[in-house]
């Protein structure tokens, strides 16, 4: 799974995924390309098909509507 990222402070923000991958599990890594993952952008995973979400690091910001229209998430692990 490839994340769409952009610089954010001294790390990166995740804006979504490349759209070609499917998985029931989403793991937000603590780093991408050696930089800390600090935030999830607004609407990053709206309309996604994830059921299980795990966050490995510490996020400074979780944007609005990150999982909008996603009613089948059964577990979020932080």
């Amino acid at each position: 799974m490839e994340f769409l990222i952009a610089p954010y402070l001294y790390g990166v923000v995740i804006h979504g995924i490349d759209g070609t991958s499917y998985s029931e599990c989403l793991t937000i890594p603590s780093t991408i390309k050696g930089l800390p993952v600090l935030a999830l952008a607004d609407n990053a995973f709206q309309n996604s098909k994830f059921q299980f979400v795990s966050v490995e690091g510490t996020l400074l910001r979780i944007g609005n509507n990150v999982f909008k229209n996603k009613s089948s998430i059964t577990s979020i692990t932080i």
Side-chain angles (χ1 to χ4, degrees):
M1 177 180 311
E2 290 286 322
F3 289 101
L4 304 173
I5 60 170
Y8 180 73
L9 299 173
Y10 54 90
V12 296
V13 59
I14 294 176
H15 284 268
I17 56 174
D18 66 5
T20 61
S21 301
Y22 172 76
S23 175
E24 291 181 345
C25 302
L26 171 66
T27 300
I28 305 297
S30 58
T31 63
I32 296 177
K33 297 183 181 181
L35 297 170
V37 175
L38 301 175
L40 301 177
D42 294 346
N43 307 310
F45 302 108
Q46 81 175 24
N47 301 318
S48 65
K49 301 195 182 302
F50 301 113
Q51 291 181 354
F52 309 99
V53 178
S54 175
V55 179
E56 293 181 345
T58 301
L59 297 173
L60 298 177
R61 180 180 183 279
I62 297 175
N64 295 316
N65 302 314
V66 170
F67 296 105
K68 183 178 180 180
N69 299 328
K70 187 63 196 120
S71 60
S72 64
I73 290 178
T74 60
S75 172
I76 297 178
T77 305
I78 298 174

